[in-house]
Amino acid sequence: MRTAAVVGTGLIGTSVALALTAQGVTVYLRDTDVTAVRTAAALGGGLAETPPGPVDLAVLAVPPARIGATLRQCQQADLAHSYTDVGSVKEQPLRDIEELGCDVARYIGGHPLAGRERSGPLAARADLFDGRPWVLTPSKETDTETLNRALEMVALCRAVPVVMEPRAHDHAVALVSHAPHLVSALMAARLEGAADTATRLAGQGVRDVTRIAGSDPGLWIEILGANATAVADVLAGLADDLGETIAALRALAAEDEAKRSGGVDGVTGILRRGNAGHARIPGKHGAPAARYEAVPVVVGDQPGELARLFADVGASAVNIEDITIDHSPGRPAGLIELMVDPAAAEGLVHDLRRKGWNVQR
């Protein structure tokens, strides 16, 4: 691939442009927002000009509802030999494309499963897709050359290609992305009218659950609107589970021993199902989920403290598999949980304490 065009210079589009440019591809940028194009170009994402002829591949980084119309415009202008998109739903855009009479053979749906809470070109990163799944959804008409160009683009962005049917993709993302976003928003909405004395107690648990609730509602209404049925199906199952869990919790508060015992069984059952589901989430690099041990360390909120901690862990020849930070309310400190191989945990605790770290273990 020598040339590409990116239509839409928000977070994802500009990140694609930066990744391709870093691999030596000449990228041409388009957007109805002139400022966004100029920003993406200034960041090194490519050229804010019209290509002299059709590029190898055009990436349509526009909302799902606009993919069909944008593809038709680009094909009428002969912008590229092949086209893909980065929309988070695939069935509805494909139907739009077919109804608009686009050349479906030269189009393949795409969806990189990567993003950030921030939006816009200034939030873009060339390494945003490193090691992340990038779903490609060829239709029955998609030609081999278009599939190969899309696969090459995914490789240049250092992502991992996953080929799926459009419907299977939409049901999968409803389960692992779209429904969780709404659940996060619903939980965060419980905090809107909460007393300050309650929100001051917020710890890492509620922060984890509500982290993605800060995303742009305008973008998400388009995503959810294009995949509403699949998301509703997931939430309907969740609603059934919630109803059973509420009944079990009510039983836990009952004076009758038999009811209380049934409540224990009900709540225990949902927690165990949660354990089983959580265990199915892939671990690092797509490997089966591994069990790590937490080493909690109190770190002062001063410049260089986190770097010093990491350096001391590295000096102990221990690899940090994961990390969480729980900020202490009212104190200039945070609790850092270093997730490490269980076999290395005790030795690391000894080394860190010897170097003066406050290990909470």
Side-chain angles (χ1 to χ4, degrees), residues 16 45 59 85 103-104 137 145 158 169 207 227 230 239 279 306 310 321-322 335 339-340 348 351 357-359:
V16 171
V59 181
D85 69 81
D103 184 353
V104 183
T137 57
E145 193 170 13
R158 300 178 64 179
H169 165 273
R207 294 179 195 277
N227 203 26
L306 201 54
F310 288 169
E321 306 291 347
D322 203 350
L335 185 67
M339 308 304 293
V340 301
L348 179 60
D351 288 349
W357 291 102
N358 181 3
V359 182

Side-chain angles (χ1 to χ4, degrees), residues 54 76 107 117 150 166 174 186 201 205 209 226 260 265 270 282 293 300 322 347:
Q76 288 174 344
Y107 163 79
E117 287 75 46
L186 288 167
L201 301 179
V209 171
R260 194 158 53 246
D265 291 343
I270 197 66
E293 191 159 341
D322 203 350

Side-chain angles (χ1 to χ4, degrees), residues 245 247-252 257-269:
T245 303
L249 288 168
R250 300 289 188 205
L252 277 178
E257 184 62 33
K259 286 185 178 180
R260 194 158 53 246
S261 178
V264 170
D265 291 343
V267 175
T268 301

Side-chain angles (χ1 to χ4, degrees), residues 29-40:
L29 305 170
R30 280 192 176 191
D31 199 306
T32 55
D33 184 341
V34 176
T35 301
V37 170
R38 289 174 179 168
T39 301

Side-chain angles (χ1 to χ4, degrees), residues 180-202:
H181 190 93
L182 278 176
V183 171
S184 177
L186 288 167
M187 189 62 235
R190 300 298 90 204
L191 304 175
E192 185 179 19
D196 289 345
T197 51
T199 56
R200 287 196 193 103
L201 301 179

Side-chain angles (χ1 to χ4, degrees), residues 273-317:
R273 286 175 57 200
N275 291 158
H278 183 266
R280 295 203 60 198
I281 299 174
K284 287 175 59 177
H285 316 305
R291 188 182 72 85
Y292 302 124
E293 191 159 341
V295 175
V297 185
V298 176
V299 176
D301 190 14
Q302 296 94 29
E305 284 296 276
L306 201 54
R308 187 167 68 87
L309 174 61
F310 288 169
D312 286 345
V313 174
S316 296

